[in-house]
Amino acid sequence: MKNLFTKWMLIVAAATAFACSTDEQDTFIEKESVPVSITATAAYEAEADTRATLTPNEAENLFTAAWEVGDALAVRTEVLTDGTTFEGKESQAKLTYDGSSFTGTFKTQEGAVAWNYYAYYPYTESNSAIPFGDRVQNGNNYNSDYDLMFGSTLGIESVTPGQTADGGNIAIDMQHSMALVYFHLTNTAEWAANEKIVKAVLTSNKWFSGEYAKFSTSDYEWSIESDYRSTEIGMTFEEGTNPTADDVKLYFHIFPYAEPKLTLTLYTASHKMVIANTTPKAYNAGVLYKISKDCTEKWVENQLGQLAAPVINAEAGVTYNSVTFTWDAVTNAEGYAYSINGGAEQTTASTSVTISDLTPETAYTYALTVRALGDGALYSDSESATQNFSFTTPAAPADGEVTEKTLTLDPAVMDASELGIPTGKSALQAATGTTHKWTYGDIGFESFMCLTTSGNAAGDKVPVFYFYKASTAGQTMLKNTTSLGEIISITITLIDNGTKKGSVFTMNETANGTTQAVASNKASTKAQEHIYTFTEGNNGMFEFFGAQEDDGKITSIVINYKN
């Protein structure tokens, strides 16, 4: 990480190795590696903490920290050739700290006479966003993931980027773009040392955060698009690190150009506390604002709301060697606890569980018990729901070989009204918070998206599954509620004028009892077709989520599976 609220210098050393670009139309020449050293101003302490052990000097309102292995910056360049205007060439380097310096790759251009340098932290791909909403903290330790920074050095005369004309180093002065609000709160009540903080919520009368922050490579500043701005930041803790209520330290990076009235609420399992500043004040970039006080008298008993019990689907997904049980998602649930036939309770973030290694043509009876898990701050766990299942597995495929099948979801041949799927933005917005269940090809699905039409590159209206960005009506999604046995791959085809990077969507699978993301074959490249290859042995269930910042217009979804 970096020395908080002091200035750091990026020293870009000269490089000697060059390799020609493989693109003949590209006038850039790409270097193999550019070493970068990090030093600081006089305020730097040689034995500073790393990011993981950062602590504030409360007497001086000063933090000290050092860059940590794996920290990554983005450095962009603009070039001046024989003209008078610097031109951006979309040349962005990722520089990663290895313990002594940052290393990465730069590009140069024939005819260059001077360069501008722009650096920002943390690294993202060009014009990509980073999560900036709810936070996770490790106990009372500082989390630097939200300490957004920017720096620049302009008009460096040199033929080669990364060095001055006489071969010297380039210095970039990094500035903190956020204000940091630091709470150190104590409680001397007898119960306080025995109750852990389960959640903290910082709210404001004006926006000061947002779901996603983006570094604009045209304006060269961090910002949050209006659709994603927020007046609330939730703080939870890494598992097993929750601090107790007698001594709590919280760190919130917020955007500086607001003058908010801040309110902080802390929750334990049975108590809560609220403190607020009633007078608005400016919070400036690069400044630490400390609130350190005893709050014993502020704590009161906390009455939690109870979550609704899950509704277990009576139809199980049965194959010759497995069965998958599913249940409806519960609003505000943090996860689910389930047991089979009264056995040991297990937890999952998914809304399904699969039992494998069953015997073909055999009768089985199971009792599934599920309860929704609350956050312990606003909601307590639900009552348990139980569903009994009796079924007989079908015969195994001939010769012991599994049959591969294909199911195509094609909006051109599907009837939205028959399936009960919304047909436009207004219908989807009217149903915000409600998913739609439907069956296609004897397979059950649950979704929150539209089946409508959109103009393609030729100007023709074509049927699409329309996954609006989250700010339109909430998180769009599609998942199956009937197990497909084992999914081999899912191919998503977008409308021809709506190509996207695969990384903007989320595809989840459940394999070996763990729900995990499946990467697109075009995760970092804009493409019309994205193929998601699933892990062998998965439970035949998928969850697909629309993009947070972009509308997704899908012309077909092809599922290859075997059972």
Side-chain angles (χ1 to χ4, degrees), residues 147-278:
D147 183 16
L148 311 183
M149 299 182 72
F150 170 67
S152 63
T153 294
L154 308 178
I156 304 300
E157 295 184 1
S158 177
V159 172
T160 304
Q163 65 182 48
T164 61
D166 59 2
N169 294 330
I170 304 300
I172 303 178
D173 189 2
M174 300 297 290
Q175 302 282 344
H176 300 275
S177 299
M178 300 293 104
L180 177 59
V181 184
Y182 162 59
F183 294 90
H184 185 189
L185 308 176
T186 56
N187 181 358
T188 59
E190 185 175 345
W191 57 266
N194 299 313
E195 290 192 21
K196 294 184 176 181
I197 303 296
V198 295
K199 190 173 185 178
V201 180
L202 185 66
T203 59
S204 167
N205 64 326
K206 296 183 178 181
W207 81 269
F208 64 166
S209 182
E211 189 173 3
Y212 292 92
K214 177 185 289 187
F215 184 81
S216 170
T217 54
S218 58
D219 298 329
Y220 291 110
E221 65 179 9
W222 288 100
S223 63
I224 295 179
E225 295 180 5
S226 58
D227 288 342
Y228 297 96
R229 292 174 180 172
S230 174
T231 59
E232 177 179 303
I233 302 173
M235 180 81 76
T236 54
F237 301 89
E238 293 181 13
E239 185 175 358
T241 71
N242 303 58
T244 51
D246 60 330
D247 188 16
V248 183
K249 297 178 181 180
L250 301 169
Y251 308 85
F252 293 92
H253 289 98
I254 65 174
F255 269 74
Y257 37 76
E259 294 185 357
K261 294 180 181 179
L262 299 182
T263 300
L264 177 70
T265 306
L266 297 183
Y267 299 91
T268 71
S270 58
H271 292 83
K272 72 176 181 179
M273 180 217 70
V274 180
I275 58 173
N277 70 326
T278 57

Side-chain angles (χ1 to χ4, degrees), residues 120-138:
Y120 62 92
Y121 174 91
Y123 172 85
T124 67
E125 293 184 8
S126 299
N127 291 315
S128 295
I130 63 170
F132 200 75
D134 291 345
R135 319 285 168 83
V136 179
Q137 192 171 288
N138 183 312

Side-chain angles (χ1 to χ4, degrees), residues 411-412 423-425 450-468 493-500 551-555:
T423 56
K425 180 190 292 186
C450 293
L451 199 165
T452 185
T453 60
S454 184
N456 62 13
D460 300 322
K461 290 285 188 179
V462 296
V464 295
F465 297 116
Y466 207 127
F467 288 77
Y468 285 98
T493 302
L494 297 161
I495 199 167
D496 57 3
N497 60 348
T499 60
K500 305 290 181 186
D551 293 338
K553 305 171 188 179
I554 297 174
T555 58

Side-chain angles (χ1 to χ4, degrees), residues 44-55:
Y44 174 68
E45 296 182 9
E47 296 182 359
D49 295 333
T50 65
R51 172 170 61 182
T53 59
L54 185 66
T55 54

Side-chain angles (χ1 to χ4, degrees), residues 277-448:
N277 70 326
T278 57
T279 303
K281 63 180 298 183
Y283 288 83
N284 298 313
V287 179
L288 167 67
Y289 298 87
K290 181 178 64 178
I291 299 93
S292 182
K293 62 187 300 182
D294 179 84
C295 295
T296 304
E297 302 301 320
K298 296 286 187 179
W299 285 89
V300 298
E301 291 187 2
N302 185 23
Q303 300 296 323
L304 304 183
Q306 188 175 33
L307 294 174
V311 176
I312 302 173
N313 297 314
E315 295 295 325
V318 180
T319 72
Y320 73 96
N321 64 355
S322 70
V323 61
T324 297
F325 307 121
T326 64
W327 55 89
D328 294 349
V330 175
T331 302
N332 296 314
E334 295 291 304
Y336 303 90
Y338 69 90
S339 62
I340 304 292
N341 291 342
E345 191 172 68
Q346 302 180 64
T347 59
T348 180
S350 179
T351 55
S352 67
V353 58
T354 297
I355 300 173
S356 303
D357 299 324
L358 302 185
T359 302
E361 300 182 273
T362 302
Y364 288 93
T365 299
Y366 287 103
L368 171 67
T369 299
V370 184
R371 61 188 175 91
L373 302 178
D375 60 4
L378 299 175
Y379 300 97
S380 61
D381 297 351
S382 75
E383 298 291 338
S384 295
T386 299
Q387 178 72 44
N388 296 313
F389 297 89
S390 295
F391 59 88
T392 299
T393 51
D399 301 325
E401 292 188 3
V402 175
T403 302
E404 293 191 7
K405 302 178 180 179
T406 298
L407 175 64
T408 300
L409 302 181
D410 183 352
V413 299
M414 297 171 66
D415 188 328
S417 59
E418 180 180 322
L419 298 174
I421 302 173
T423 56
K425 180 190 292 186
S426 59
L428 187 68
Q429 290 174 326
T432 298
T434 303
T435 57
H436 307 92
K437 294 183 179 180
W438 42 281
T439 300
Y440 190 74
D442 296 325
I443 303 298
F445 293 90
E446 185 174 350
S447 66
F448 185 68

